[in-house]
Every structure is written in structure tokens, then in C-alpha cells.
Amino acid sequence: MVEARIMEEGLFFSEWTTQEELKLLESIDEYGYGNWVSVAAQVGKDAEECRSHYDQFYLCNPHPALPVLPVKCEEDSLRAMDGDPNEPVLPYYPGAEISGYMPLRGDFTVEADNDAEEEITDLNIDPEDSKIVIALKLATVKSYCWRLRQRAYRKSIIREYGLLDIRKQLAMDQARLNKKQFKIKQQFRSFMRFMSPETAGKVLQSLYSKLLS
């Protein structure tokens, strides 16, 4: 497991373990850069060793401070989030605010799976965590990423089918279906998400003509 190997071998494959790296960063955050005696007391190493290690791997390192792990969860979650520039913003339609849609933000007052963030609100990796605990926490993050992707998927359905377009929905309501057409549409509804709105409309019209002729 990649995460377990990193925890054992360290972030930079030096003599420092991952737990010591975390203690170093937390201690510098608490005591400030330059208070190496206090930092060293928390890390369990010499003050000069802490200073030189931090300078070498964090301040003067031309490469990113943290290694790139083959875990796509973080990238996927960013693409699924509302603020991602690659995620199209839902268009604004008059009356769409009735559904709780906020056009300037591109999201809803109450999102799909609105409590998804509660899973990771207080989640953090503690230096004293065992491998099993770390693996469980990573699994929780991956679960959260999957829930974000599902939220983004539902927004794509809203966007593609124009469900915020009140005028379009009213026009569809005005085109009343008889009981047989309504039953066909209800049975076909679960398949509509696999098609574009245009294709779904054509298939429905074809079903009406074939099954009701």
C-alpha cells in the first residue's frame, strides 16, 4: 500500500520518518521559524538538525515539498467541487431561485447529499495514528470524494435537461399527456439519464407512436 510505504520510509526517503516530518511542521507552526530549541524538543532531534532539514527540504527545495502520490481522489474532488473552473456553471433562468439555486455561486442552498462534508469536518491525520487508523481515514476521504462526484453528476443532469428553465417546464406541463403516455414516460424515466435531452425526447415520441398506435 502506497500510504503505508510512505509512513514507513518517510516523505523524502531520508533518515526522517513521516511522523517526525509532521512533528517538525507542527512545531514550527506553534513556536515559529527560528525557535529551533523548542522545535527540537518536540521532534526529538538536535536543533541544528531540525533547522538544516527544514531549510533543505522545505525552503530551498526546488521541487514540491510533498511527494506526488498516485492517488486521484484529491484531484477528482477538486473537479467535482462547485468552484472548479473546469465545471460549467448552471445557467440562470428567471424564477430558478424558487428551487434554491444561487446563480452567482453556481450552487444550491441545499445541495444533493447536503451532509457529505460532515464526514471530514473534524478529520485529521495525527502523528500517533496507527496504520489501520490512517487507512480508515483515507477511506473516509475517498468516500467523501465519491459523494462529491455524485453531487456534480446530479448537477450535470439538471444542466443538460434544463430543469431550472421554468418556461420550459411550464410548456411541458401544458402539453398534457394522457394516462397511457404518462405511464410510458414514467417507466422510461430511469433510462433518460443515459441519453441527451434531444435523444430522450425522440425515443419517447417513438415509443408513443409504436405502443399507442
Side-chain angles (χ1 to χ4, degrees), residues 141-206:
V141 173
K142 291 180 180 179
S143 172
Y144 170 65
C145 293
W146 179 84
R147 295 171 74 174
L148 285 182
R149 289 193 292 272
Q150 292 299 308
R151 180 185 294 173
Y153 172 70
R154 283 162 173 76
K155 282 188 177 181
S156 70
I157 294 295
I158 294 174
R159 181 173 55 253
E160 292 176 9
Y161 283 87
L163 299 182
L164 292 176
D165 191 341
I166 303 300
R167 293 179 181 176
K168 178 181 178 180
Q169 297 304 315
L170 289 175
M172 293 177 62
D173 290 341
Q174 291 175 358
R176 298 294 181 181
L177 302 177
N178 58 46
K179 292 184 179 180
K180 293 182 178 180
Q181 288 176 322
F182 180 78
K183 183 177 181 181
I184 292 174
K185 185 175 181 179
Q186 288 297 104
Q187 294 175 338
F188 182 69
R189 188 182 297 275
S190 60
F191 300 99
M192 294 176 67
R193 59 177 177 164
F194 301 110
M195 309 175 186
S196 66
E198 294 76 14
T199 302
K202 291 179 181 179
V203 173
L204 268 177
Q205 293 301 322
S206 177

Side-chain angles (χ1 to χ4, degrees), residues 16 18 32 39 64 71 73 106-107 116 126 130 135 145 173 175 182:
W16 286 58
T18 302
V39 171
V71 178
C73 182
D107 57 13
D126 191 276
S130 65
C145 293
D173 290 341
F182 180 78

Side-chain angles (χ1 to χ4, degrees), residues 27-38:
S27 300
I28 292 176
D29 180 61
E30 180 177 356
Y31 299 109
Y33 179 86
N35 294 321
W36 299 114
V37 175
S38 299

Side-chain angles (χ1 to χ4, degrees), residues 15-17 20 36 39-50:
E15 296 179 355
W16 286 58
T17 64
E20 290 171 336
W36 299 114
V39 171
Q42 297 297 321
V43 178
K45 290 184 177 289
D46 182 78
E48 176 59 26
E49 188 177 3
C50 291

Side-chain angles (χ1 to χ4, degrees), residues 1 4 24 41 54 62 72 81 87 89 96 102-103 108 113 115-116 118 133 141 146 161 171 178 202 207:
M1 187 175 181
L24 174 66
Y54 185 81
K72 298 181 179 180
M81 289 182 181
E87 178 68 22
V89 177
M102 297 178 286
F108 293 86
D113 196 0
D115 299 328
E118 291 185 1
V133 172
V141 173
W146 179 84
Y161 283 87
N178 58 46
K202 291 179 181 179
L207 289 173

